[in-house]
């Protein structure tokens, strides 16, 4: 049977067919749908972990127990998981272990576009790179066989275009894989220095055998056509190269890209007149091939920044400009990303934006949009969990240098569980005075509403223990904690004003469900979500002062003749604009 699957769906299918029984991940675009689809296979225990390090460690533990396991994460998540990754390369596996990294060339939804192929060489783990959905499924299955044959974890590297593009995939039955016997083996699994030194030697021996495998495996294949041009490529770049050059070039398509098949590369290079390396982002292949003394053309022509496509390759390598439809700049309406109408974060950032001599350190999530006009209520955003610790550093620097600046750190509920807790511990332990604002919207919002330890539900839909953020803060030692409704501006302002005066650690928790969330019945009742009425503008009262526009709600527009207008198809009745209007011109419909 065949189905049309995305690359992420295909990886999930591959894990199912390979007999995987344990999978763990932290959501992050473009990898999120891998675990969401794995969870549909009831034969696989699947879970959202608090962060990527935990996800990989769960999978490592399952592997040592003898089960085939999978961990999935976006590219920057591997940075979080790097500590166990480098050590499991030494210890090896029992049941097969695959780590899926989903890179994001072009930064469609990421803070950088790091090339995680470098992790394979850095951590000394074999790497596979599929170029379409069919290969995503097949390579996942093959990865488990390689993992168990060579006693190594495998890095399966995808990119956004592979993750989210659809292709026809041949489905097969699930392989019934019995869990392997666990045998206590301290020299293998206890990574003390004495054991690690021996394990490192063994790993280098494995890599030599894996390079021999790389030279012989059909994962690295030659396609002979015209030999005047040879192209070495991998991943989605292979598809782009084939679209541009067709039969006018020969190809060495690499699916197993660490260790590289050096003998196969040399033989291919000797057969062609001109050799190109086509790859996205870093010159990962090019650098290695040039180090072999082989002359190639690559990044001197092909951009190393951003996502590739056939047009870029045709232009840079063949000088061809594809005909495209030019957009009419006069008709194109700018639609910058903004918080949704009714977003519970809007009121908080509106109040923060009015404060003077305040610095707001931000984090990764929807609320990063608090940095966008007209709110512009954020100064920094570095990585997951950095808002609290960076805010503490900023605050300490100000203190020791005699500068009076109040620092607020804003962080989402899921991100707080991910890696914000340790930053708060740091503030309490080191007597900081930065205020922490935890934006609890009852879900992991930006990646598409995945459950987290604070929601009370698991990935598999089971009711579970809800981790109480207030109790966590109390246990850490925070004495000043305020839980507020962020849609109530007076309440929000009062909490911020209090934090301005407190010279000790303080936590404000803004608690309201994401406006896009499909809330369970108990949540609808708790927050009165079913009773809300939308707002409208009383045009007779509107003085055209534009104060309502300062909250940055996409449901509000302005007409020079009529004044403010509220789109009744977007408004959800959050009331933030109603509270801002100085002339009571915004009212509830029907009241």
């Amino acid at each position: 049977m065949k189905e049309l699957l995305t690359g992420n769906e295909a990886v999930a299918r591959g894990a199912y067919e390979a007999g995987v029984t344990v999978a763990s991940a932290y959501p992050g675009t473009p990898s999120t749908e891998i675990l969401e689809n794995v969870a549909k296979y009831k034969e696989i225990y699947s879970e959202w972990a608090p962060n990527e390090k935990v996800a990989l460690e769960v999978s490592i533990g399952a592997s040592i127990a003898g089960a085939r396991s999978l961990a999935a994460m976006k590219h920057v998540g591997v940075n979080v998981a790097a500590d166990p990754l480098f050590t499991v390369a030494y210890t090896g596996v029992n049941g097969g272990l695959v780590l899926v990294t989903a890179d994001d060339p072009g930064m469609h939804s990421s803070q950088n576009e790091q090339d995680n192929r470098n992790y394979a060489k850095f951590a000394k783990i074999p790497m596979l790179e599929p170029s379409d959905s069919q290969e995503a499924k097949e390579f996942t299955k093959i990865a488990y066989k390689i993992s168990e044959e060579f006693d190594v974890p495998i890095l399966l590297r995808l990119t956004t275009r592979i993750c989210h593009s659809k292709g026809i995939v041949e489905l097969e039955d699930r392989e019934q894989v019995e869990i392997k016997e666990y045998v206590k083996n301290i020299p293998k699994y206890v990574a003390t220095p004495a054991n690690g030194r021996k394990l490192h030697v063994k790993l280098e021996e494995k890599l030599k055998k894996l390079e021999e495998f790389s030279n012989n495996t059909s994962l690295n294949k030659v396609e002979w056509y015209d030999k005047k041009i040879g192209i070495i490529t991998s991943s989605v770049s292979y598809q782009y190269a084939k679209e541009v050059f067709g039969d006018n070039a020969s190809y060495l398509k690499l699916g197993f890209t660490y260790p590289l098949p050096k003998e196969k590369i040399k033989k291919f290079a000797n057969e062609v007149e001109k050799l190109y390396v086509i790859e996205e982002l870093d010159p990962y292949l090019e650098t290695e091939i040039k180090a072999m003394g082989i002359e190639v053309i690559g990044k001197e022509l092909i951009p190393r920044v951003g996502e590739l496509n056939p047009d870029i390759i045709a232009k840079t390598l063949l000088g061809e400009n594809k005909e495209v439809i030019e957009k009419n700049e006069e008709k194109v309406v700018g639609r910058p990303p903004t918080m949704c109408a009714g977003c519970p974060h809007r009121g908080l950032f509106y109040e923060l934006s009015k404060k003077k001599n305040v610095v707001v350190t931000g984090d990764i999530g929807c609320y990063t949009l608090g940095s966008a006009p007209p709110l512009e209520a954020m100064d920094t955003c570095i990585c997951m969990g950095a808002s609290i610790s960076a805010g503490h550093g900023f605050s300490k620097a100000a203190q020791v240098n005699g500068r009076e600046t109040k620092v607020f750190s804003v962080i989402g509920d899921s991100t707080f569980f991910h890696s914000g807790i340790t930053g708060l511990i740091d503030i309490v332990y080191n007597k900081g005075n930065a205020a922490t604002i935890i934006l609890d919207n009852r879900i992991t919002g930006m990646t598409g509403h995945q459950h987290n330890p604070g929601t009370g539900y698991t990935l598999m839909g089971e009711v579970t223990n809800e981790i109480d953020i207030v109790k966590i803060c109390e246990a850490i030692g925070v004495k000043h904690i305020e839980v507020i409704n962020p849609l109530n501006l007076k309440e929000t302002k009062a909490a911020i004003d209090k934090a301005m005066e407190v010279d000790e650690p303080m936590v404000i928790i803004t608690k309201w469900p994401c406006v896009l969330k499909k809330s369970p019945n108990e949540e609808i009742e708790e927050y009165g979500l079913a009773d809300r009425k939308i707002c409208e503008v009383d045009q007779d009262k509107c003085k055209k002062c534009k104060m309502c526009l300062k909250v940055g709600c996409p449901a509000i527009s302005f007409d020079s003749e009529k004044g403010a207008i509220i789109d009744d198809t977007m408004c959800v009745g959050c009331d933030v604009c109603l509270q801002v209007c100085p002339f009571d011109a915004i009212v509830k419909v029907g009241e």
Side-chain angles (χ1 to χ4, degrees):
M1 186 172 71
K2 295 180 180 178
E3 280 192 16
L4 195 62
L5 300 179
T6 65
N8 283 345
E9 291 168 334
V11 169
R13 179 71 192 188
Y16 166 76
E17 292 183 5
V20 168
T21 53
V22 176
S24 184
Y26 183 81
T29 307
S31 69
T32 306
E33 301 84 2
I34 295 173
L35 253 285
E36 287 180 330
N37 282 280
V38 166
K40 295 176 182 176
Y41 300 107
K42 300 308 176 189
E43 296 84 350
I44 305 175
Y45 167 77
S46 53
E47 65 169 35
W48 292 126
N51 64 36
E52 295 86 351
K53 179 175 181 286
V54 174
L56 180 57
E57 290 163 346
V58 167
S59 300
I60 290 170
S63 166
I64 293 173
R68 287 187 170 183
S69 63
L70 178 140
M73 55 199 67
K74 68 181 295 176
H75 61 319
V76 290
V78 180
N79 301 338
V80 181
D83 196 356
L85 175 63
F86 279 65
T87 300
V88 75
Y90 278 35
T91 65
V93 303
N94 187 16
L97 172 60
V98 173
L99 166 60
V100 185
T101 172
D103 293 10
D104 191 18
M107 292 181 279
H108 298 282
S109 186
S110 304
Q111 66 268 42
N112 70 40
E113 55 180 355
Q114 68 187 49
D115 188 333
N116 275 8
R117 292 179 298 172
N118 295 300
Y119 262 116
K121 182 179 179 183
F122 193 14
K124 301 177 185 288
I125 57 175
M127 174 168 60
L128 277 71
E129 290 188 83
S131 67
D132 58 25
S133 295
Q134 178 66 47
E135 286 190 351
K137 193 205 77 163
E138 289 304 318
F139 284 20
T140 301
K141 295 173 68 176
I142 294 169
Y144 285 99
K145 294 181 178 177
I146 298 172
S147 175
E148 291 175 355
E149 179 180 350
F150 291 91
D151 188 14
V152 288
I154 302 292
L155 187 67
L156 183 72
R157 191 248 187 182
L158 312 178
T159 63
T160 303
R161 211 49 58 185
I162 301 295
C163 292
H164 292 165
S165 297
K166 286 205 170 188
I168 296 174
V169 177
E170 181 84 36
L171 305 186
E172 296 172 282
D173 294 334
R174 176 176 168 87
E175 183 181 353
Q176 296 304 320
V177 180
E178 297 296 324
I179 187 169
K180 290 189 171 183
E181 181 186 5
Y182 167 70
V183 178
K184 188 170 183 175
N185 189 341
I186 291 175
K188 176 176 170 61
Y189 294 122
V190 180
T192 59
N195 292 333
R197 293 185 193 104
K198 296 173 184 174
L199 292 170
H200 191 183
V201 173
K202 289 183 177 178
L203 175 57
E204 296 298 335
E205 293 169 353
K206 293 177 192 175
L207 290 173
K208 289 179 182 177
K209 294 177 180 176
L210 282 159
E211 182 176 337
E212 184 179 346
F213 172 84
S214 184
N215 278 311
N216 295 310
T217 177
S218 59
L219 295 168
N220 297 325
K221 63 181 182 181
V222 175
E223 298 176 14
W224 289 119
Y225 299 103
D226 194 326
K227 293 189 176 181
K228 289 181 180 177
I229 295 176
I231 295 172
I232 300 177
T233 185
S234 65
S235 187
V236 74
S237 297
Y238 163 75
Q239 306 290 356
Y240 301 155
K242 286 293 294 276
E243 184 170 334
V244 172
F245 287 91
D247 295 346
N248 297 317
S250 294
Y251 305 88
L252 173 52
K253 178 190 178 300
L254 301 178
F256 189 89
T257 48
Y258 185 78
L260 285 173
K262 292 183 178 178
E263 289 303 317
K264 192 171 278 187
I265 289 172
K266 288 176 183 175
K267 289 179 182 177
F268 181 76
N270 287 333
E271 292 282 331
V272 298
E273 295 180 20
K274 181 187 285 187
L275 185 59
Y276 292 116
V277 173
I278 298 178
E279 57 187 329
E280 280 182 324
L281 299 179
D282 292 348
Y284 169 79
L285 299 174
E286 180 184 337
T287 301
E288 292 296 317
I289 294 169
K290 283 182 173 175
M292 294 161 59
I294 298 172
E295 186 178 342
V296 298
I297 300 169
K299 291 301 177 183
E300 61 265 49
L301 296 177
I302 300 172
R304 61 185 299 166
V305 175
E307 189 176 26
L308 284 183
N309 61 44
D311 291 351
I312 293 173
I313 294 171
K315 183 177 181 179
T316 55
L317 298 186
L318 300 177
E320 296 177 355
N321 284 306
K322 299 287 186 181
E323 186 178 349
V324 295
I325 299 173
E326 296 294 336
K327 62 183 178 184
N328 186 334
E329 296 288 354
E330 295 181 356
K331 292 186 177 180
V332 175
V333 178
R335 291 189 174 87
T338 183
M339 286 185 280
C340 304
C343 174
H345 304 326
R346 177 168 286 104
L348 171 77
F349 285 110
Y350 174 74
E351 289 299 332
L352 281 174
S353 71
K354 295 193 296 184
K355 295 297 179 186
K356 306 297 182 186
N357 200 26
V358 158
V359 165
V360 179
T361 54
D363 223 295
I364 304 294
C366 301
Y367 48 88
T368 314
L369 293 169
S371 64
L375 298 168
E376 296 181 313
M378 190 176 289
D379 294 80
T380 68
C381 176
I382 302 168
C383 68
M384 292 285 287
S387 61
I388 300 178
S389 36
H392 174 61
F394 195 109
S395 179
K396 282 293 183 184
Q399 285 177 33
V400 299
N401 290 286
R403 189 189 297 163
E404 292 187 5
T405 304
K406 185 65 182 181
V407 178
F408 287 86
S409 302
V410 294
I411 187 168
D413 49 348
S414 183
T415 311
F416 179 69
F417 292 122
H418 178 281
S419 49
I421 292 175
T422 47
L424 186 58
I425 291 172
D426 193 40
I427 288 179
V428 175
Y429 172 57
N430 289 299
K431 301 180 179 179
N433 68 359
T436 300
I437 304 178
I438 301 171
L439 311 174
D440 182 3
N441 63 354
R442 318 299 301 138
I443 202 73
T444 307
M446 191 173 189
T447 48
H449 291 183
Q450 291 73 36
H451 286 293
N452 65 53
T455 66
Y457 292 89
T458 70
L459 168 62
M460 301 178 80
E462 299 171 342
V463 176
T464 186
N465 301 313
E466 180 179 327
I467 309 302
D468 191 321
I469 295 176
V470 172
K471 289 182 179 176
I472 286 178
C473 295
E474 289 174 344
I476 288 172
V478 179
K479 298 174 183 174
H480 307 279
I481 302 172
E482 297 277 337
V483 180
I484 64 169
N485 170 6
L487 301 183
N488 185 322
L489 296 188
K490 284 185 180 177
E491 197 174 319
T492 302
K493 180 178 181 301
I496 294 172
D497 287 345
K498 179 180 177 181
M500 293 287 289
E501 301 300 322
V502 171
D503 193 30
E504 291 183 326
M506 178 172 173
V507 171
I508 301 171
I509 301 168
T510 69
K511 196 170 182 180
W512 196 271
C514 171
V515 67
L516 299 181
K517 182 183 177 185
K518 184 179 180 182
S519 293
N521 291 334
E522 63 269 22
E523 200 166 80
I524 293 173
E525 185 176 347
E526 179 182 355
Y527 293 91
L529 300 178
D531 303 325
R532 296 198 296 180
K533 295 180 179 178
I534 65 173
C535 296
E536 64 180 355
V537 178
D538 183 339
Q539 303 297 345
D540 294 334
K541 291 184 178 179
C542 180
K543 304 299 182 185
K544 303 176 184 176
C545 67
K546 299 184 180 179
M547 277 297 294
C548 55
L549 298 182
K550 292 186 178 181
V551 302
C553 178
I556 305 175
S557 58
F558 189 81
D559 183 280
S560 57
E561 299 275 329
K562 300 177 181 176
I565 299 170
I566 295 177
D567 186 338
D568 61 3
T569 65
M570 297 177 70
C571 181
V572 297
C574 74
D575 295 354
V576 169
C577 61
L578 183 150
Q579 298 168 72
V580 167
C581 179
F583 303 105
D584 297 326
I586 298 178
V587 297
K588 288 286 192 181
V589 172
E591 293 184 356

